[in-house]
């Protein structure tokens, strides 16, 4: 991702470059409700281009293609922020299960599994040297009342945090976090150790 973002930056020298934001931003909505088109989720998010593809052999698939989309996000001051962003796609399966009566998968169970997914994904990424400083997880709870600019504000808040990190690692003051912004510590507080969600199957299959 960093290499692709660097190529984009060289091709667009008129755009401000913040290297701290050159990572994959992974959206983790705890509702598991995912839009296939981010532009429909929030009109302040606009598709720009596809970043350079990566081709790898994976699980018997020759030349499997991995690619990420670059978006321009407009903040409340009409400033543009560019970043690679996408949803954590496994959450889409959890949402589909909760909509199917045969799955007997309640909204509460879906929320617990989404939190477990977030914490597990975070642990995996933190334990990978290859993934160090190449991603940012953005977990959030959507407001009960629909807000047309909610998602763009959520992403921009994280981009600003990264921008502040690049400007000065000693800077202590940060803009206030949106009430919906979540991190692993908060997610841990919301679920007691004795009540941690368990894998959906416990019979070993």
């Amino acid at each position: 991702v960093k290499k692709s973002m660097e190529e984009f930056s060289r091709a667009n020298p008129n755009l401000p470059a913040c290297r701290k934001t050159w990572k994959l931003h992974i959206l983790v909505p705890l509702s598991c409700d995912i839009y296939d088109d981010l532009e429909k989720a929030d009109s302040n998010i606009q598709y720009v281009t596809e970043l350079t593809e990566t081709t790898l052999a994976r699980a018997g698939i020759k030349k499997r293609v991995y690619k990420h989309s670059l978006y321009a996000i407009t903040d409340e001051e009409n400033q543009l922020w560019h970043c690679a962003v996408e949803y954590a796609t496994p959450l889409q399966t959890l949402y589909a299960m909760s909509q199917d009566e045969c799955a007997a998968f309640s909204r509460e169970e879906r929320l617990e599994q989404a939190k477990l997914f977030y914490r597990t994904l975070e642990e995996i990424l933190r334990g990978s040297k290859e993934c160090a400083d190449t991603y940012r997880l953005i977990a959030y709870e959507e407001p009960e009342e629909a807000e047309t600019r909610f998602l763009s504000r959520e992403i921009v808040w994280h981009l600003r945090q990264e921008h502040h990190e690049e400007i000065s690692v000693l800077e202590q003051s940060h803009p206030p976090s949106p009430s919906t912004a979540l991190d692993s510590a908060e997610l841990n507080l919301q679920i007691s150790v004795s009540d941690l969600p368990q894998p959906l199957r416990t019979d070993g299959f």
Side-chain angles (χ1 to χ4, degrees), residues 60-203:
I61 302 174
K62 298 290 187 181
K63 298 181 180 180
R64 183 166 184 173
V65 175
Y66 294 86
K67 59 183 179 180
H68 306 290
S69 298
L70 185 72
Y71 289 88
I73 302 173
T74 307
D75 65 17
E76 64 275 9
E77 298 172 357
N78 287 323
Q79 178 183 351
L80 284 180
W81 298 77
H82 291 85
C83 71
V85 59
E86 62 188 54
Y87 285 103
T89 52
L91 296 178
Q92 203 164 30
T93 302
L94 289 179
Y95 187 82
M97 286 173 60
S98 68
Q99 303 301 303
D100 191 333
E101 293 182 0
C102 297
F105 189 52
S106 70
R107 180 180 298 181
E108 291 74 20
E109 290 171 320
R110 184 183 70 197
L111 176 61
E112 296 298 287
Q113 291 297 323
K115 291 176 181 178
L116 177 60
F117 171 84
Y118 173 86
R119 292 205 308 274
T120 304
L121 177 59
E122 184 180 48
E123 289 174 5
I124 292 171
L125 292 173
R126 279 184 176 176
S128 170
K129 292 181 180 180
E130 291 181 350
C131 293
D133 203 36
T134 63
Y135 69 92
R136 189 173 183 107
L137 296 180
I138 303 178
Y140 60 90
E141 288 185 299
E142 295 178 338
E144 293 184 4
E145 295 184 8
E147 293 184 28
T148 56
R149 301 292 182 267
F150 168 77
L151 188 56
S152 59
R153 288 201 308 270
E154 196 75 23
I155 297 171
V156 165
W157 182 85
H158 284 270
L159 294 174
R160 283 178 174 152
Q161 292 294 89
E162 292 165 341
H163 185 66
H164 282 299
E165 291 168 12
E166 182 175 71
I167 292 174
S168 173
V169 294
L170 299 176
E171 185 174 318
Q172 298 298 318
S173 59
H174 297 286
S177 167
S179 59
T180 56
L182 300 170
D183 57 26
S184 59
E186 290 176 289
L187 292 178
N188 283 329
L189 288 174
Q190 292 175 17
I191 310 175
S192 66
V193 175
S194 61
D195 294 330
L196 285 175
Q198 300 299 314
L200 296 180
R201 296 288 295 272
T202 59
D203 54 7

